[in-house]
Amino acid sequence: MMESEMFRWPRIVLYDRKAQALGRRHPWVFSGAVRESEVGLCEGDIVDVFSETGQYLATGHYGEGSIAVRIFSFEPVVDLRVMWEERLSEAFQFRRLIGLAVSPETNAYRLVNAEGDGLPGLVIDWYGGTAVFQAHSVGMYQERARVAEALRKVFGSALRAVFDRSASTLHGKLEKARDGYLLGNAPDGPFIRENGLKFRVDWEAGQKTGFFLDQRDNRALLRRYARDREVLNVFCYSGGFTAYAAAGGARSLSSLDSSESALRLARENVAMNNPEGIPHLVFQEDAFKFLGGMQEGAYDLIVLDPPAFSKGPSSRHSAVQAYRRLNQLAIRRIRKNGLIFTFSCSQSVGLELFSGAVTAAAIETGRSIRVLHELSHPPDHPVSIYHAEGRYLKGLVLHVR
Ligand code: SAH
C-alpha cells in the first residue's frame, strides 16, 4: 500500500520530547505536546499523529480541551468499518476468555471499557441481547452508526437492539445528542441474569447505562457473608447488593436511596430473588441523615456505595471528608461483629486516600476494626497499565468488633 493511502486523516505533529508517552501507549496526547496541527480541525475529527521526524505514532480523535487527541489505534486506520469489526470482535473474545460472554449464570457484562480496551471515550454494556452504547467524547459519538453495524456483525442474531445513552455524558459538549435506539427496539422483558440472579435493567432512563455491572464480583462476595445477617444497603440504586443478601439467606433486608425510581427497581429486583420471603424494607431518605439517626446495633451488615463524591482533583479534599463522615456514622452504630462493605468510585480518590479516610473514621469511633478484603472492579472493566487513571472503584470489607 502506498503511504498516502495508509495515512488518510489530517495530521498532528508532536514535539519529539513529548512523544514518549505515546511510545509507552498512554492513550492521551495533551495539548502542550502538539507542535503543529492542520488548520480547521473540529472537535471529534479523526487525526493521524506523527513525530517531528515524520514517523507515524498513532490515530485518534481530536479534542479542543487539554487532551488534544484520544488515541484509539497505534496502527494506521484505513477502513473504519473493518477497524470496528476487529476491535469489537477482540473485545468480545476477551470477555469469552474471562468466562463472561459464555456463562449460563451471567448474561450482562461490560463489552468495551474505554481506555481499558484501547477505545477512549467509549463504553458499551451488554445486557443479554441489548448493547447500550455510551459515548463520552464527540469523536466516539460520531462513530455510533458504524459501531452499531459492527455489533450486528460480531453478535449476529444474538443482538436484539443497540441503545444510545450518550445524551447525559455529552451534555455540555454536544447539546443535540439524544438517547434512542440505533438498531432494534425495546424488548418486552428488559431482564438480565447475574451470577444466577435476575434483575430488571432500565437502560432507557436508569442511572449510567442502567446497571452497575462493576459491582458484580463484590455483590457475589457479599452473598457469602449474608447468612442470618440484618442487612442495610445504603445508596442501593436498583437493589443489587440487597438481592444478593436475599439469595445468601439474610435475616432481614433494608434498602436506602434518595431516588424514588431507584427504590421502585430495588423492590422488584429483591422480590425476584427472595425465595425465602425475607422481609424487605425500603427507605427513601438522605443517607447521612438516616445513618445519623439509626438505632445502635440495628444492623450487622452495612453496604456503603455512594455516588462519586469527587468529580476531579479540585473536589478531592471535600470528598475525603464526606467518606470519613459517612463511614464514621456506620462504624459507630453497627452491631458488634458487624461487617461493612464500603466503596468509593471517585477516580481522583485513590485507595490509599480512601483507606486513610476510613481509618480516620475508625479512630473517631474508637472501635477495633480489621480489613478483610480490598475490592475493585471485575475483569470486564480492565485497566490499561499505562493509564492508571482508569482505576476508579475501590472498596474495603471491614470487620467491626
Ligand atoms: N450500589 C448500587 C449503585 C449505587 S449508585 C448498585 O450496586 O447498583 C449511587 C446511588 O446513590 C444512586 O442510586 C443515587 O440515587 C443514590 N444517592 C445519591 N445521593 C444520595 C444521598 N445523599 N442519600 C441517599 N442516596 C443517595
Side-chain angles (χ1 to χ4, degrees):
M1 200 182 298
M2 303 269 294
E3 190 191 275
S4 56
E5 290 171 37
M6 281 170 68
F7 305 125
R8 54 171 289 202
W9 312 106
R11 291 181 179 226
I12 277 195
V13 177
L14 304 189
Y15 293 109
D16 270 351
R17 66 193 152 79
K18 299 270 191 178
Q20 288 157 356
L22 273 196
R24 289 194 299 268
R25 300 209 155 206
H26 190 283
W28 297 344
V29 173
F30 291 99
S31 54
V34 175
R35 189 184 146 170
E36 286 163 45
S37 52
E38 272 183 36
V39 283
L41 282 178
C42 293
E43 177 80 29
D45 284 353
I46 297 179
V47 290
D48 281 325
V49 182
F50 289 85
S51 70
E52 274 177 84
T53 48
Q55 189 195 353
Y56 168 83
L57 299 170
T59 301
H61 288 127
Y62 174 76
E64 276 155 12
S66 66
I67 302 175
V69 191
R70 288 181 166 80
I71 302 299
F72 57 77
S73 179
F74 289 93
E75 286 161 25
V77 176
V78 182
D79 185 330
L80 282 167
R81 269 185 312 185
V82 171
M83 183 201 82
W84 278 114
E85 238 182 279
E86 282 174 8
R87 300 295 290 276
L88 296 180
S89 166
E90 186 188 319
F92 174 60
Q93 293 305 335
F94 173 71
R95 271 70 185 174
R96 281 173 67 116
L97 184 79
I98 57 175
L100 272 173
V102 285
S103 159
E105 297 262 281
T106 299
N107 68 357
Y109 53 88
R110 178 150 293 190
L111 177 68
V112 173
N113 190 42
E115 281 85 357
D117 282 285
L119 295 167
L122 179 63
V123 163
I124 302 177
D125 285 339
W126 176 263
Y127 293 120
T130 297
V132 178
F133 168 98
Q134 190 166 61
H136 292 251
S137 70
V138 173
M140 281 300 177
Y141 185 67
Q142 288 167 352
E143 295 297 317
R144 64 197 182 285
R146 273 188 287 266
V147 169
E149 188 50 31
L151 286 168
R152 206 175 55 78
K153 290 246 173 69
V154 171
F155 286 94
S157 60
L159 180 76
R160 285 198 309 259
V162 180
F163 187 70
D164 174 12
R165 191 68 206 278
S166 307
S168 57
T169 43
L170 289 176
H171 188 72
K173 296 180 206 159
L174 196 66
E175 297 304 332
K176 67 172 203 272
R178 293 281 174 276
D179 293 340
Y181 285 91
L182 301 173
L183 268 181
N185 43 43
D188 296 339
F191 295 110
I192 59 152
R193 270 190 320 280
E194 187 185 84
N195 293 316
L197 276 64
K198 187 176 176 187
F199 291 97
R200 176 190 287 278
V201 177
D202 183 3
W203 52 77
E204 292 184 9
Q207 298 188 31
K208 303 278 166 105
T209 66
F211 196 70
F212 287 85
L213 294 165
D214 55 359
Q215 291 284 21
R216 180 193 313 110
D217 289 358
N218 304 331
R219 292 194 274 252
L221 180 69
L222 176 127
R223 173 166 57 181
R224 281 175 28 205
Y225 284 111
R227 182 143 305 277
D228 290 331
R229 295 215 174 242
E230 307 220 39
V231 178
L232 171 66
N233 180 9
V234 187
F235 308 97
C236 69
Y237 180 49
S238 60
F241 282 104
T242 323
Y244 277 71
R251 176 167 308 153
S252 73
L253 306 165
S254 297
S255 301
L256 180 141
D257 204 285
S258 53
S259 149
E260 191 186 338
S261 55
L263 289 171
R264 214 176 305 126
L265 284 168
R267 257 205 202 90
E268 180 179 356
N269 284 330
V270 174
M272 280 193 294
N273 297 286
N274 189 4
E276 297 172 36
I278 302 160
H280 180 213
L281 298 176
V282 302
F283 300 96
Q284 187 183 355
E285 220 180 306
D286 172 70
F288 288 87
K289 199 165 155 237
F290 182 91
L291 291 170
M294 184 172 74
Q295 194 197 332
E296 208 164 308
Y299 303 99
D300 60 357
L301 200 172
I302 298 179
V303 181
L304 303 173
D305 184 23
F309 286 149
S310 166
K311 302 281 181 212
S314 62
S315 52
R316 189 187 283 138
H317 179 73
S318 59
V320 168
Q321 297 313 319
Y323 290 121
R324 183 183 57 72
R325 269 197 306 131
L326 182 69
N327 282 277
Q328 192 250 94
L329 291 170
I331 293 170
R332 195 177 289 287
R333 296 201 174 81
I334 194 167
R335 192 181 306 163
K336 191 171 157 47
N337 273 317
L339 297 174
I340 300 179
F341 281 59
T342 181
F343 296 95
S344 160
C345 59
S346 301
Q347 190 240 87
S348 63
V349 178
L351 178 63
E352 272 188 43
L353 210 49
F354 178 60
S355 291
V358 176
T359 307
I363 292 169
E364 283 166 347
T365 66
R367 294 187 73 170
S368 161
I369 292 177
R370 294 180 292 179
V371 177
L372 308 189
H373 299 270
E374 272 180 23
L375 307 175
S376 181
H377 17 75
D380 53 330
H381 294 62
V383 178
S384 163
I385 204 157
Y386 306 114
H387 184 258
E389 296 92 330
R391 220 178 289 135
Y392 65 96
L393 182 64
K394 62 239 27 132
L396 299 170
V397 181
L398 310 176
H399 175 236
V400 186
R401 286 198 272 199

